[in-house]
Amino acid sequence: MHRLHPQLGLIQETSLLTLYAKALDAVRPSPILGDTLAADLAGTIDYDFGKLKVKPSLVVSTALRTKKLDDVVRAFMAAHPGCVVLDLGCGLDTRVFRCAPPPGVDWYDIDFPEVVDLRAECLPGPSHLVGADLTSTDWITAVPGDRPAMIVAEGVFPFMTGDSFQSLTRALTRALTGHFPSGELALNGYTRFAAWTMKYHPTIKALGVKAAQGFDDPHEPESWHAGLELVEEQFVTRAPETALFPQPLRALSRLIARSTALSRQGARILRYRF
């Protein structure tokens, strides 16, 4: 069994939440992501996952948003052989194994040093590991900047530190896009309302995470002076995989899908080029 770093903080601990959600999806009769490696890994970690109070709705929504981000990464790698992939706040996610980067693609998994240490211990793989605090940009120089880059930020930006969310997110994004000649940024974007409601979610309350941030207009990152251009806004409620959701969530998702405003309050995938 793998024991956790004694200094694992609240935000870092959310990596166990997403791992467990994917593990639970993998053992469903009709999985959405089907990440059996996540299920195997969760079984080797000495942690009380039961305290996270993970509900079926969180399991399927996490699996579906992850699947959509995986699709974006695979498409970019196919279109840009020899690119660089950065998985920001990778935690214990097995994306590098699911997406199976071909030879010539350099994949970088980036997270807090203590998370990277845990990852190196229990999930060794083909990626380069970078231990860094994303509120700093010094670590970016360790990544080659002469090729197109696919940057994935799943569940990262909403938890950038409190009142400094805007400044930190903008600074990080500008540093990243300025480092590469071209590329894409893909993230799951919460609206302000969706981020606000998270503090009442039983799982977030169980972890003790206090704040999340968001933005409503998908074009807002275009004003961050990072050279971003919105390419796509995907609503999870409109994905065909919602047919695999348990009832009554399946029916509710189909109802919400009729409204863009309501769909935007749920999980959405935002894709930008730079």
Side-chain angles (χ1 to χ4, degrees):
M1 295 288 285
H2 297 287
R3 297 189 178 278
L4 299 182
H5 193 290
Q7 299 302 316
L8 200 67
L10 295 177
I11 298 300
Q12 297 94 312
E13 203 171 351
T14 61
S15 62
L16 300 174
L17 165 61
T18 53
L19 171 68
Y20 189 51
K22 292 163 192 173
L24 292 177
D25 169 73
V27 297
R28 293 176 65 238
S30 299
I32 293 172
L33 186 63
D35 190 347
T36 55
L37 180 56
D40 292 342
L41 177 58
T44 70
I45 295 176
D46 184 14
Y47 181 78
D48 178 16
F49 288 102
K51 77 174 186 178
L52 299 178
K53 302 178 182 178
V54 175
K55 303 297 184 184
S57 59
L58 182 60
V59 171
V60 295
S61 62
T62 299
L64 184 48
R65 83 178 189 197
T66 300
K67 183 176 185 294
K68 294 303 179 184
L69 286 169
D70 284 357
D71 290 343
V72 171
V73 174
R74 292 189 189 101
F76 189 90
M77 291 192 300
H80 301 85
C83 68
V84 175
V85 178
L86 279 70
D87 196 345
L88 305 182
C90 61
L92 296 176
D93 187 44
T94 64
R95 177 168 286 119
V96 66
F97 298 95
R98 295 191 305 269
C99 292
V105 171
D106 274 334
W107 188 296
Y108 287 79
D109 282 319
I110 300 128
D111 212 316
F112 289 102
E114 56 269 32
V115 176
V116 165
D117 288 345
L118 179 62
R119 185 181 181 92
E121 175 189 345
C122 60
L123 195 64
S127 63
H128 305 281
L129 300 180
V130 179
D133 183 339
L134 293 179
T135 61
S136 167
T137 58
D138 297 344
W139 60 271
I140 298 176
T141 57
V143 181
D146 58 347
R147 287 174 276 169
M150 178 72 246
I151 304 169
V152 186
E154 182 176 4
V156 174
F157 288 169
F159 296 101
M160 298 291 273
T161 309
D163 293 338
S164 55
F165 165 76
Q166 288 288 353
S167 60
L168 289 173
T169 301
R170 293 182 184 204
L172 175 60
T173 305
R174 285 196 297 268
L176 286 167
T177 60
H179 186 69
F180 301 103
S182 62
E184 291 188 5
L185 168 66
L187 58 115
N188 60 308
Y190 293 97
T191 64
R192 289 177 174 83
F193 175 76
W196 176 79
T197 61
M198 286 179 66
K199 65 183 179 180
Y200 299 106
H201 194 286
T203 299
I204 298 300
K205 290 175 67 176
L207 281 174
V209 177
K210 298 299 182 183
Q213 306 287 323
F215 54 87
D216 299 331
D217 184 354
H219 289 280
E220 182 173 319
E222 294 176 336
S223 69
W224 293 353
H225 304 292
L228 296 177
E229 177 187 359
L230 179 67
V231 176
E232 183 180 25
E233 180 184 27
Q234 292 187 51
F235 299 127
V236 166
T237 56
R238 295 178 179 175
E241 291 90 345
T242 57
L244 300 174
F245 281 12
Q247 292 286 24
L249 183 62
R250 186 191 319 159
L252 179 61
S253 297
R254 288 173 174 169
L255 181 63
I256 292 175
R258 299 177 182 178
S259 166
T260 296
L262 291 177
S263 292
R264 188 164 280 150
Q265 300 305 324
R268 58 176 176 164
I269 303 301
L270 302 175
R271 184 163 68 93
Y272 303 87
R273 71 166 61 98
F274 58 88

